């Protein structure tokens, strides 16, 4: 609720045809880990927690807040170099299967 209100406060202006500014929901979808390992850290969570906690926050930004942009997290999500090694910015499951579809 708070994120949607913040997004609307940034984007909604006097003229409905134009954005006041374009809000960006950052660090989609699981962003965690120590600062110095941010670009190489793999966030591990259960799928239940993934959908109910992390995805839900971004879902409200997209559907209720109509956020203009989404920036993926630097870290990976439940991945390993042995399986796929894809960080969130290149993860088909996160970007296509969930976000786009």
């Amino acid at each position: 609720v708070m994120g949607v209100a913040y997004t609307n406060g940034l984007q909604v202006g006097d003229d409905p045809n134009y954005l006041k500014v374009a809000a960006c929901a950052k660090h989609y979808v699981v962003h965690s880990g120590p600062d110095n390992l941010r670009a190489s850290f793999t966030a591990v969570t259960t799928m239940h927690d993934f959908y109910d906690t992390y995805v839900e926050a971004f879902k409200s930004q997209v559907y209720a807040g109509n956020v203009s942009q989404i920036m993926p997290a630097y870290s990976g999500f439940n991945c390993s170099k042995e399986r796929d090694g894809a960080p969130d910015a290149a993860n088909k499951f996160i970007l296509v299967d969930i976000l786009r579809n």
Side-chain angles (χ1 to χ4, degrees):
V1 173
M2 193 163 72
V4 172
Y6 185 78
T7 298
N8 286 330
L10 287 174
Q11 293 188 152
V12 178
D14 296 331
D15 188 337
N17 295 314
Y18 299 98
L19 296 174
K20 203 166 33 169
V21 296
C24 180
K26 292 177 67 174
H27 309 296
Y28 172 76
V29 65
V30 179
H31 186 60
S32 186
D35 284 340
N36 61 338
L37 299 176
R38 201 66 76 173
S40 61
F41 184 79
T42 296
V44 178
T45 184
T46 65
M47 292 308 288
H48 176 77
D49 195 30
F50 173 76
Y51 283 108
D52 285 0
T53 303
Y54 296 101
V55 171
E56 196 60 37
F58 284 94
K59 185 177 176 181
S60 66
Q61 287 293 321
V62 171
Y63 289 108
N66 201 27
V67 70
S68 297
Q69 305 167 50
I70 292 183
M71 183 186 98
Y74 305 117
S75 58
F77 162 68
N78 286 0
C79 66
S80 66
K81 291 195 185 325
E82 293 77 28
R83 286 191 4 226
D84 60 5
D88 289 359
N91 188 311
K92 179 188 176 288
F93 170 69
I94 289 173
L95 297 176
V96 177
D97 299 344
I98 294 179
L99 182 60
R100 186 174 289 167
N101 297 331

